Amino acid sequence: MNVRASNDRNSAQRAPHGWRDALVAVLAGTLGMLVTAALGLWAAGAAGLPGGAFPRVVAAVVVMAAGGSVGLAGDAGSLVGAQAGLSVLPLSVTLAGALPIAYGFLRPLRHRAVAGGRELAGWAGRVAALWAVVLIVLSLLARHTFTLPAESLTGDRSGDDTGDALGDVLGDTARVGFRADIPLTVVIGLVWLAGVLVLALLVSRRAPLPARLVRFQETVRPAASAMVALLLASVALGVVAGLVVMVVRGHPAQTLAVILLGLPNLVWLALTLGLGASWEGKVQGPFGLPMPQVLDSVLRTPDLSTVNLRTLAAQDGRVWWLLVVTALLVLGAAFLMAVRSPARTRPWQHALHLAVALTLTVLLIGLTAAVSARYGLSLLGIGDLGGGLGGEVSLRPRLWTALGIAFLWGLVTGFLGALAACRVHRHGEIPPETPQGSD
């Protein structure tokens, strides 16, 4: 017995999760993010940016996808200032990095029943140290200043008194640029990584946990894996829908850009709308975000607009299908959770577990899919010069209402999923014995 215990300890000490495996995981995630961001920006037409800015823009998008901070700034002359703000998470790029990193983190831990807390912390620390280096390098690259001629800002107004006066104020050129905040990016990026690794441990059915946490895996893991399956299934449906739109309606470059940069932003927004949640926002000015025309029509109003199934259906009645698709997806997730849960779990417990999990999922969507972007010019720091020189895009959820709706959906669908799984053999269920003499 002592020899066997010694062999088990030696096997645990030789667990293959050293610096080499950490480097592979981090490089795979970084490469996935860089390739996805580069292809998406290329499809969006950013490859022709002046001054060799394309690689730096790619680095900035990857920094934002990891939760980092990229600030915008500008200078349009001695009297005119440029104000800009951007808060958006390109979730396609985020997903392209999170999945390889999570897989690389879990792979060396396979075939293990239990792992010590120190062991997991040390393994995660190696990944985090290398990820911090990657964030610093990307943040150093994610900075650039564009020089724009004043005519591009005055547009067709040159030749009249207002345009000529504005051109005199602006001077010969205007400068706008972006710069990553390195300390803030590293801190938030490490928090992002911690979330990815913790979620990976929660979702995986085979990853080992510290002995003290093993008792929680039967309640947490089925619900967590069901929610991840729900999110990934919605993204898969979004990819199929995007490819259909690309074939039927054309505009392949724009559609590909949306798929590679912000598809989860749209499909997860649609998921919350299908649940009955409401968002509010507006689109003003000459620019916007890549979004369906029906959503742009609802948001492009003078005041703050409400986005929900009713307002969208006023533009296109087919939007009501979101309710049907969402119901099927959530019911499928509830069934999956029930099948993966121990047989002794009661239906009301399934309902409560899914209600909590779906509420947390909607909270995560609300925090990550919100959008805020603004650009404008002001004279002496006062007001907006207007005339097509500024714009604003914002979209944020009515969070508390959305969380309440998600909790109710979870209760109902969790109970129904448990009833549907009653006929399926589940973990911990003992099959009935065959009566003697029946043969």
Side-chain angles (χ1 to χ4, degrees):
M1 294 296 292
N2 293 333
V3 174
R4 182 176 181 180
S6 177
N7 290 336
D8 291 341
R9 285 195 299 268
N10 292 335
S11 177
Q13 292 173 356
R14 293 195 301 269
H17 45 64
W19 286 103
R20 180 178 61 84
D21 298 278
L23 181 62
V24 171
V26 171
L27 288 181
T30 304
L31 183 62
M33 298 177 83
L34 287 172
V35 171
T36 304
L39 291 176
L41 290 170
W42 170 79
L49 289 172
F54 182 69
R56 299 183 179 274
V57 174
V58 171
V61 170
V62 174
V63 166
M64 290 191 295
S69 175
V70 177
L72 306 178
D75 180 14
S78 58
L79 301 179
V80 179
Q83 298 88 33
L86 178 63
S87 177
V88 60
L89 203 62
L91 289 176
S92 291
V93 182
T94 301
L95 205 58
L99 293 178
I101 290 177
Y103 177 78
F105 176 74
L106 294 175
R107 186 174 181 275
L109 300 174
R110 68 192 187 280
H111 309 311
R112 303 278 302 282
V114 179
R118 289 186 178 180
E119 178 188 353
L120 289 177
W123 172 221
R126 292 183 178 91
V127 178
L130 295 173
W131 181 243
V133 174
V134 169
L135 291 174
I136 293 174
V137 173
L138 290 174
S139 298
L140 291 173
L141 290 174
R143 55 183 63 191
H144 191 78
T145 299
F146 298 95
T147 300
L148 305 176
E151 302 84 51
S152 65
L153 299 176
T154 58
D156 58 5
R157 295 166 60 169
S158 58
D160 60 19
D161 294 339
T162 303
D164 293 340
L166 186 58
D168 294 338
V169 172
L170 292 175
D172 295 332
T173 60
R175 292 179 296 275
V176 294
F178 59 89
R179 178 182 297 266
D181 186 327
I182 297 178
L184 189 58
T185 294
V186 172
V187 171
I188 300 179
L190 290 176
V191 172
W192 175 87
L193 177 68
V196 170
L197 301 186
V198 170
L199 187 59
L201 285 175
L202 291 178
V203 171
S204 175
R205 302 173 64 186
R206 297 181 178 179
L209 291 175
R212 295 180 180 179
L213 301 179
V214 170
R215 66 180 184 272
F216 297 109
Q217 67 180 353
E218 291 186 346
T219 50
V220 175
R221 278 185 165 172
S225 62
M227 291 300 97
V228 171
L230 172 66
L231 294 177
L232 294 181
S234 61
V235 171
L237 288 177
V239 171
V240 173
L243 294 177
V244 171
V245 170
M246 187 185 303
V247 172
V248 174
R249 298 186 180 179
H251 307 292
Q254 294 91 326
T255 304
L256 185 62
V258 172
I259 292 175
L260 293 174
L261 294 177
L263 182 64
N265 301 69
L266 292 176
V267 296
W268 294 345
L269 165 67
L271 181 66
T272 63
L273 293 175
L275 292 174
S278 295
W279 292 59
E280 58 185 15
K282 60 181 176 180
V283 174
Q284 294 179 345
F287 67 90
L289 293 176
M291 61 180 67
Q293 182 61 41
V294 60
L295 181 58
D296 185 81
S297 300
V298 172
L299 291 175
R300 199 171 288 277
T301 57
D303 301 321
L304 204 62
S305 302
T306 298
V307 180
N308 53 34
L309 286 179
R310 181 178 56 81
T311 57
L312 291 173
Q315 302 289 330
D316 189 340
R318 292 173 297 180
V319 170
W320 287 112
W321 281 103
L322 277 179
L323 178 61
V324 178
V325 174
T326 300
L328 293 175
L329 286 173
V330 177
L331 281 171
F335 177 79
L336 179 64
M337 185 195 73
V339 169
R340 292 183 174 180
S341 297
R344 64 180 178 274
T345 307
R346 299 178 179 177
W348 68 266
Q349 292 175 313
H350 285 294
L352 185 59
H353 294 166
L354 188 65
V356 173
L358 189 59
T359 301
L360 293 176
T361 301
V362 170
L363 174 62
L364 178 64
I365 294 174
L367 295 177
T368 57
V371 175
S372 176
R374 185 180 185 278
Y375 180 78
L377 299 178
S378 63
L379 184 63
L380 295 175
I382 302 174
D384 194 327
L385 294 179
L389 299 178
E392 181 177 0
V393 178
S394 66
L395 186 63
R396 58 182 181 271
R398 293 177 179 173
L399 198 54
W400 290 111
T401 304
L403 297 181
I405 293 173
F407 191 84
L408 293 176
W409 267 85
L411 287 177
V412 175
T413 56
F415 189 83
L416 294 177
L419 295 180
C422 287
R423 297 179 178 271
V424 180
H425 178 76
R426 290 180 284 168
H427 175 68
E429 187 176 10
I430 300 175
E433 294 183 1
T434 304
Q436 294 183 358
S438 60
D439 296 336

